[in-house]
Amino acid sequence: MRFLQILLSEQTSYPMVKEEFKGTALDGYSLYQLSGDSTLGHHTGWLLTYNVNKEAINYLDRMTTQIVNSAMADKQVKAQSVSETYTKSNAEKFISNMSAVTLDRKMLEPQMANLNATMHRDMIKTIQQSAMQDASLLQKNKQSVQEGVDLFKRVIPNFTMGATEISFKPYTSKFGAMAGMSVRGSLKYDGFVLPGSLTMYAMPQNDGLTVQILATEDTSRDYWSGQLESMYGLKTLKGGNK
């Protein structure tokens, strides 16, 4: 009993403050369909542009810090703020000090295998629970619902995601420091493969971050990435080299 009292007296906790976000997270967005030609053929793509308000960025920073503090409470470690209050200068400094990272197919294969296994298990479990726990279902309809669930159980394991490359690069540009992230992979179903690419650029502004996401078929990825890199005048930083 004495040992238990000592443990209880020495425990330290960092209670989380549930702060409600009252601002506007996005200041607007635009979606464009791209079309262009090169010697390799015709290229299409989709470009989504949106602006993340700096108040939303600061809110996420505060919430992340609180979560970390709560998780580390038993270790009596108190985390500092993940980043400084958002300003364009602080964001550019943070990006410029980051290192370029590239994960290739070999490195990604075990992670993707685990992701697919988890996705298959959780999706089937969620569908099963949500369908059969619906109180509004009549008994006579439950058999039909179960048949639908059984169909999904056969379909879901045949659907997988693959990744051949994930990379992050800090850049300098005509508009200051920018961060770029690229994901190349595929969606697969029962032997059919749809290869694709997602490229994201984050550009600090005075009022927050302008984010652009480029979605293309994998064969058009280099064409459209080249177009955007030329438009922004991107030059790769070597991690901390300004």
Side-chain angles (χ1 to χ4, degrees):
M1 179 65 70
R2 175 62 178 166
F3 177 69
L4 178 60
Q5 290 175 341
I6 292 174
L7 285 179
L8 292 174
S9 65
E10 290 180 349
Q11 285 184 345
T12 304
S13 62
Y14 303 107
M16 287 187 61
V17 178
K18 294 183 179 180
E19 176 187 348
E20 180 181 356
F21 180 65
K22 298 180 180 180
T24 302
L26 301 181
D27 290 333
Y29 70 92
S30 300
L31 179 63
Y32 306 93
Q33 183 178 21
L34 308 179
S35 180
D37 297 284
S38 73
T39 55
L40 297 177
H42 185 67
H43 305 278
T44 59
W46 295 88
L47 183 66
L48 172 66
T49 300
Y50 60 92
N51 301 306
V52 183
N53 190 291
K54 64 181 180 181
E55 295 303 323
I57 298 172
N58 290 332
Y59 171 80
L60 289 174
D61 173 48
R62 294 193 298 272
M63 292 301 99
T64 301
T65 302
Q66 290 178 14
I67 291 171
V68 171
N69 285 341
S70 179
M72 298 297 290
D74 61 334
K75 297 179 173 41
Q76 299 188 14
V77 175
K78 189 170 183 179
Q80 298 298 316
S81 178
V82 174
S83 62
E84 301 177 79
T85 300
Y86 180 88
T87 64
K88 181 179 179 181
S89 176
N90 287 342
E92 289 184 331
K93 180 180 178 181
F94 180 79
I95 291 173
S96 298
N97 286 327
M98 297 184 74
S99 299
V101 176
T102 299
L103 304 177
D104 60 21
R105 184 195 301 267
K106 184 177 180 180
M107 299 171 69
L108 292 168
E109 278 182 350
Q111 281 76 18
M112 295 307 299
N114 291 334
L115 175 62
N116 285 315
T118 302
M119 176 183 67
H120 295 158
R121 183 187 67 245
D122 291 349
M123 285 181 68
I124 291 174
K125 181 179 179 181
T126 300
I127 292 173
Q128 178 78 46
Q129 291 178 343
S130 60
M132 302 312 293
Q133 291 179 0
D134 187 347
S136 64
L137 276 178
L138 298 176
Q139 187 63 38
K140 64 180 181 180
N141 293 332
K142 287 189 176 182
Q143 183 177 352
S144 297
V145 172
Q146 184 60 55
E147 291 174 354
V149 171
D150 292 338
L151 175 61
F152 275 111
K153 286 181 178 180
R154 293 193 294 270
V155 170
I156 291 173
N158 291 323
F159 175 82
T160 59
M161 295 185 293
T164 56
E165 180 183 292
I166 297 178
S167 63
F168 170 85
K169 294 180 181 179
Y171 296 97
T172 59
S173 75
K174 298 176 182 178
F175 308 100
M178 290 177 60
M181 181 176 179
S182 176
V183 178
R184 305 182 75 169
S186 61
L187 299 177
K188 304 177 183 179
Y189 179 76
D190 198 23
F192 294 92
V193 181
L194 177 62
S197 168
L198 289 175
T199 303
M200 182 183 77
Y201 295 103
M203 179 170 59
Q205 306 277 11
N206 290 328
D207 295 329
L209 283 175
T210 293
V211 179
Q212 286 196 329
I213 300 177
L214 171 68
T216 71
E217 294 182 350
D218 194 63
T219 52
S220 295
R221 180 255 188 188
D222 291 342
Y223 174 82
W224 287 116
S225 294
Q227 294 290 321
L228 291 180
E229 288 178 7
S230 176
M231 179 177 71
Y232 288 129
L234 297 184
K235 294 182 179 179
T236 304
L237 290 171
K238 295 183 179 180
N241 296 328
K242 296 170 281 293

